[in-house]
Amino acid sequence: IQAAWNLKTRALTEMVYVDEIDMDQEGIAEMILDENAIAQVARPGTSLKLPGTSQGGGPSPAVRPVTQSGRPITGFVRPSTQSGRPGTMEQAIRTPRTALTARPITSAAGGYVRLGTASMLTNPDGPFINLSRLNLTKYAQKPKLAKALFEYIFHHENDVKNALDLAALATEHAQFKDWWWKVQIGKCYYRLGLYREAEKQFKSALKQQDMVDTILYLAKVYLRLDQPVTALNLFKQGLDRFPGEVTLICGIARIYEEMNNISSAAEYYKDVLKQDNTHVEAIACIGSNHFYSDQPEIALRFYRRLLQMGVYNCQLFNNLGLCCFYAQQYDMTLSSFERALFLAENEEETADVWYNLGHVAVGIGDLNLAYQCFKLTLVNNNNYAEAYNNLAVLEMRKGHTEQARALLQTASSLAPHMYEPHFNFAILSEKIGDLQRSYTAAQKSEEAFPGHVDTQQLIKQLKEHFAML
C-alpha cells in the first residue's frame, strides 16, 4: 500500500478572524422564468462551482488539500467561502448568521418579542424595541432616526422584512435621491435571496454616489450568482476610480484563489502588501501558498512577521510548527505545537494540532506516536476524515485488514470529496481479492481527482483482470 503514503495533509489550518439534474418540463419552465437561475454547465474558468477548470494551472488535491466544494484550502478563513453553501440542514443550522442566533435566516424574523412592551420603551425583561408595534411610516419621515433604527433592526434583530419596509418608506420619503437607502434596500434583497433586485439597487446607488462599500456589495451579488469574471471586472473598474484601494485588490485576490488560480492570487496579495504591509489576510495567504509550493523557509518568514505584529493564536503556532518541521528546524517544531495546544480555544483546533503532530511523527518514523496522535485527533473531533484515513494506513501496515477497511469506509462517508480514502480502499480490496469493490472505489477516487495516475493505473489493471475473467 506504498501509494497510500501520499496522504493528504491538512497542513496549514486556517487563520480565523472575525469576522446530475433530471428536470421535468415544469422544472425547465421554472428555470426560464426565474431571474436568479444560472446556467447549469458553466464555461471553463468562469465558475466558482467548478474551480478545477481554471486556466491558471492551480495545485492538484495531491499537493494542496481542497474543501468540500472543491476549492483549495486558503490561508485565511473567510465567511461563506470555505465550504460553499451548506449541504445538509445540520450544516445550515450550525452556520452563524448574527450575533444572537445560529438559526437560518428564514426563522430569525424577530418572533420572540413581548407584545406587552411599549414601542420605544426599554424593559429589563423584554426587547429594546418592540418591532411589531412600530409605526414605520412615522419614523421613515425622520431621516436621522430612521437610519439608526434601520441599523438596529437589520444588524441586531435580524428582521429583514421590517428593515426592508422601513428602507422602502424612507427612500420614498427622500424622493429616491438618497443613495444610502438604496444600498440598504440592496442589502435586504441580498439577504432574502433576490439577487437581481439587489443588483439593480446597488447599480442605482453607484450612479448617485461612487463608494467602495457599494462596489463590494455588488461583487458579493455577482459571486452568489456564480459570475466571478463579472465581479473581477467590477473590482478592476473600481480600482480605476479608487487607485490602490486595499479592499478591492484583496477582493480580486480572493476570487482568483477561489478559482484555483493561485499564481494570480499571490500577485494581487503582494500588491495588497505594497499598499498595507500589515494586512494579516494577505500575509497569511502568501505564507500558505509558499508552504504548499515546497518553500517552507519562505512561509516561515511570513508567519514570523505575523507573530511580530502581535497575532498570537493556535493557528499561527500550528503553522509555525509545520514550517519549522519541513524546513528541518526541529528545535522549534515541538515547542510551537505545544504552544498551539495551549492556545487552542475549542476541540476542533486541538484536533487539527494533534493531526499535524501525527504527520510529524510519520515524518520521523515513529509510527506508534503517529497512531496515538491520530487517535487523539478523533477524541477531539470524531468527524475528522483525514485522521480515519491515516489510521487505516497504519492499521494496514500492522496487518489489521478489517480495521483498516472499516476506518476507510468511515473516512469515505465523512469526506466523499477526498480521493485518498477511496484509493486506499480500492488498493486494500484489490489485495484481498474483492475486485468489484476495488473497481467501485477506484472509480470514486478518479471522480474526486481525475488526474491521479495511481488510480488510473489501478483501474487499468482491474479492467485487465475482468477481461481475463
Side-chain angles (χ1 to χ4, degrees):
I1 199 164
Q2 185 65 35
W5 282 97
N6 295 326
L7 301 176
K8 170 172 291 190
T9 309
R10 183 188 284 178
L12 295 184
T13 58
E14 302 86 351
M15 306 197 65
V16 182
Y17 301 87
V18 165
D19 187 285
E20 213 154 270
I21 296 179
D22 183 14
M23 285 197 297
D24 54 11
Q25 292 181 351
E26 291 181 7
I28 295 172
E30 286 179 7
M31 269 201 60
I32 294 172
L33 297 173
D34 185 5
E35 290 185 347
N36 294 314
I38 59 176
Q40 294 296 325
V41 181
R43 289 175 294 171
T46 63
S47 173
L48 296 177
K49 293 184 178 179
L50 299 171
T53 60
S54 170
Q55 304 301 309
S60 70
V63 176
R64 185 169 186 166
V66 296
T67 62
Q68 192 167 357
S69 57
R71 302 172 188 168
I73 293 284
T74 61
F76 197 94
V77 165
R78 296 181 286 267
S80 73
T81 61
Q82 281 297 102
S83 59
R85 296 182 182 180
T88 64
M89 180 57 70
E90 183 181 356
Q91 287 176 320
I93 292 173
R94 283 182 178 177
T95 304
R97 301 288 172 169
T98 66
L100 296 178
T101 177
R103 298 173 185 270
I105 191 168
T106 51
S107 64
Y112 305 99
V113 294
R114 295 179 75 239
L115 297 177
T117 309
S119 163
M120 295 290 274
L121 293 178
T122 304
N123 189 304
D125 301 323
F128 179 62
I129 297 174
N130 189 341
L131 301 181
S132 61
R133 299 186 55 149
L134 281 180
N135 185 353
L136 296 180
T137 307
K138 182 180 75 173
Y139 293 111
Q141 296 172 1
K142 302 175 181 178
K144 295 180 180 178
L145 183 59
K147 290 183 179 181
L149 181 59
F150 176 88
E151 297 278 350
Y152 175 82
I153 297 173
F154 186 80
H155 293 292
H156 186 273
E157 292 297 323
N158 196 27
D159 191 343
V160 182
K161 181 181 177 298
N162 276 322
L164 180 59
D165 291 341
L166 176 61
L169 291 168
T171 192
E172 186 179 351
H173 179 263
Q175 299 179 346
F176 305 98
K177 294 179 181 178
D178 192 337
W179 64 271
W180 191 88
W181 282 115
K182 292 183 179 180
V183 172
Q184 308 316 309
I185 293 174
K187 287 161 65 175
C188 292
Y189 280 141
Y190 177 85
R191 292 278 291 272
L192 292 170
L194 303 172
Y195 303 122
R196 289 302 180 188
E197 283 78 3
E199 178 192 8
K200 293 174 185 175
Q201 295 293 333
F202 290 138
K203 282 185 172 179
S204 177
L206 276 175
K207 287 179 182 177
Q208 289 184 345
Q209 181 72 35
D210 213 0
M211 295 287 290
V212 175
D213 282 354
T214 314
I215 296 173
L216 295 173
Y217 280 122
L218 185 55
K220 282 182 68 176
V221 171
Y222 287 132
L223 290 177
R224 186 53 66 93
L225 287 170
D226 197 22
Q227 296 178 1
V229 177
T230 309
L232 283 174
N233 293 333
L234 177 67
F235 278 135
K236 289 174 182 176
Q237 291 169 10
L239 282 174
D240 293 338
R241 305 192 294 272
F242 301 98
E245 175 59 42
V246 171
T247 53
L248 299 180
I249 304 173
C250 190
I252 296 174
R254 290 177 180 179
I255 295 173
Y256 276 127
E257 196 168 37
E258 290 172 33
M259 293 174 70
N260 215 356
N261 192 343
I262 303 299
S263 56
S264 298
E267 290 301 319
Y268 277 97
Y269 278 128
K270 289 175 183 176
D271 289 342
V272 171
L273 291 183
K274 289 176 184 176
Q275 303 295 331
D276 178 8
N277 56 12
T278 61
H279 198 278
V280 175
E281 179 179 351
I283 296 172
C285 289
I286 293 174
S288 175
N289 293 337
H290 280 300
F291 180 88
Y292 287 116
S293 302
D294 289 331
Q295 297 172 320
E297 300 90 350
I298 301 176
L300 189 59
R301 290 171 54 192
F302 283 93
Y303 289 120
R304 284 178 58 193
R305 169 65 175 161
L306 287 176
L307 200 60
Q308 291 168 355
M309 286 167 49
V311 179
Y312 193 79
N313 58 19
C314 169
Q315 290 85 358
L316 179 56
F317 280 100
N318 176 75
N319 296 353
L320 284 169
L322 280 167
C323 290
C324 289
F325 177 71
Y326 286 105
Q328 299 181 8
Q329 298 182 15
Y330 302 121
D331 53 334
M332 289 293 295
T333 302
L334 291 180
S335 60
S336 296
F337 281 124
E338 283 178 4
R339 189 65 58 85
L341 285 172
F342 176 74
L343 292 172
E345 295 180 351
N346 53 53
E347 291 182 340
E348 284 77 12
E349 293 179 2
T350 307
D352 283 336
V353 179
W354 280 117
Y355 176 78
N356 290 326
L357 276 167
H359 268 284
V360 171
V362 170
I364 63 177
D366 191 342
L367 299 187
N368 288 326
L369 176 60
Y371 188 87
Q372 294 298 326
C373 288
F374 292 137
K375 282 286 188 182
L376 283 167
T377 302
L378 295 180
V379 167
N380 288 282
N381 184 359
N382 200 36
N383 294 326
Y384 214 106
E386 292 91 341
Y388 281 109
N389 175 77
N390 296 358
L391 275 174
V393 177
L394 295 176
E395 292 285 6
M396 185 57 196
R397 289 181 65 88
K398 294 179 181 179
H400 302 157
T401 306
E402 289 304 316
Q403 289 93 322
R405 288 185 64 177
L407 289 166
L408 287 172
Q409 285 176 326
T410 305
S412 301
S413 62
L414 287 172
H417 63 282
M418 286 169 48
Y419 77 94
E420 291 93 344
H422 298 302
F423 175 73
N424 291 343
F425 189 80
I427 289 285
L428 188 56
S429 299
E430 194 262 345
K431 283 185 178 294
I432 63 176
D434 192 346
L435 301 185
Q436 183 59 47
R437 285 188 177 179
S438 176
Y439 184 70
T440 304
Q443 283 183 316
K444 291 179 180 178
S445 173
E446 186 181 34
E447 183 181 346
F449 183 17
H452 192 223
V453 178
D454 292 335
T455 300
Q456 295 170 355
Q457 291 177 349
L458 178 60
I459 292 176
K460 184 179 178 182
Q461 291 176 7
L462 291 170
K463 287 182 177 178
E464 291 175 357
H465 280 303
F466 292 144
M468 292 172 61
L469 292 174

